[in-house]
Amino acid sequence: MLVAAAVCPCPPLLVPEVAAGAAPELDAARAACATALGVLAAALPDRLVVVGPAGDSLPYPAGTAGSFRGFGVDVDVRLGPGEPDGTEAESGLPTSLAVAAWLLARTEWAGAPVEGFGVARDLPAGRCVDTGREIAARSPRVAMLVMGDGSACRTLKAPGYLDERAAGFDAAAARALGSADTTALKALDAGLAHELQVAGRAPWQLLAGAAEGTDLSGSLLYDDAPYGVGYVVATWS
């Protein structure tokens, strides 16, 4: 059963070495992420499942390695403490889970065992919800760290250029995430999310499935678009 969740953005720029001189611009987002992880720890889960967008839907066991070398910096991470158990994915962590691994290491996560799940960006909503239900049923006290960005079309300089629909989509998603509104999350338009380059749609809908049957309350800690990309930090507890 899901007992807590933290929703965080997953840009590599959260890692200061990647952001370099622009690192202070995301200090508020990093602080909000640290607070959100504190909520997860306080829930005393017996399992932490880290979910984030990826090319394919695949599990990633504890200890799976990730790296930011592709972004020009010598920073390596592992998903949670410990070494891989021999079933480590050959390709290593997708970027979203590597950012999560960095956040966990930064906050010195020492709670429940950690495992990861990469969610295909185009996974249909129904499949996302079903997968969330399955994850929540794995243990009596499951916590989730859900990584994902909003639209990439909030400004002229955004990666997807300016789309007038982006602000409304992001506002609706932020309201749903900040109020633990599973119905609204399930109803997010996958086609529009694809057009707006929303990386968080599938992970957020997976969270909605995991939270079914719970009475979790939401809190919105951060909502901004510093690079024309929507970033949200929220907690469910």
Side-chain angles (χ1 to χ4, degrees):
M1 180 177 179
L2 186 72
V3 296
V7 177
C8 294
C10 57
L13 290 173
L14 275 180
V15 180
E17 291 88 343
V18 175
E25 296 176 13
L26 287 181
D27 279 348
R30 294 185 193 96
C33 289
T35 298
L37 288 179
V39 171
L40 294 185
L44 301 177
D46 55 28
R47 181 191 301 257
L48 174 62
V49 182
V50 181
V51 177
D56 297 299
S57 294
L58 292 171
Y60 294 86
T64 301
S67 175
F68 295 95
R69 294 175 186 269
F71 299 95
V73 297
D74 186 14
V75 177
D76 298 318
V77 293
R78 286 196 179 275
L79 187 63
E83 296 296 322
D85 62 4
T87 61
E88 182 178 11
E90 292 183 3
S91 59
L93 295 173
T95 300
S96 64
L97 297 190
V99 173
W102 180 84
L103 287 173
L104 289 168
R106 179 174 181 260
T107 54
E108 299 181 347
W109 177 266
V114 181
E115 62 187 72
F117 187 79
V119 189
R121 289 172 180 257
D122 59 354
L123 193 68
R127 292 278 304 281
C128 293
V129 170
D130 289 344
T131 301
R133 293 188 188 116
E134 294 167 3
I135 289 175
R138 290 180 187 173
S139 295
R141 298 186 63 81
V142 175
M144 292 180 63
L145 172 55
V146 181
M147 310 297 291
D149 300 338
S151 72
C153 303
R154 292 279 291 274
T155 66
L156 292 174
K157 294 184 178 180
Y161 197 66
L162 176 65
D163 190 311
E164 299 295 343
R165 301 170 296 174
F169 184 99
D170 285 347
R175 283 195 301 271
L177 292 168
S179 60
D181 187 340
T182 59
T183 299
L185 289 176
K186 292 175 187 177
L188 290 175
D189 187 326
L192 178 57
H194 175 75
E195 293 175 12
L196 297 176
Q197 301 182 26
V198 177
R201 190 273 308 172
W204 297 339
Q205 290 183 323
L206 191 150
L207 170 61
E212 286 183 346
T214 69
D215 59 354
L216 300 179
S217 298
S219 178
L220 187 63
L221 305 183
Y222 179 89
D223 178 16
D224 203 355
Y227 302 112
V229 181
Y231 298 151
V232 171
V233 180
T235 59
W236 294 19
S237 61

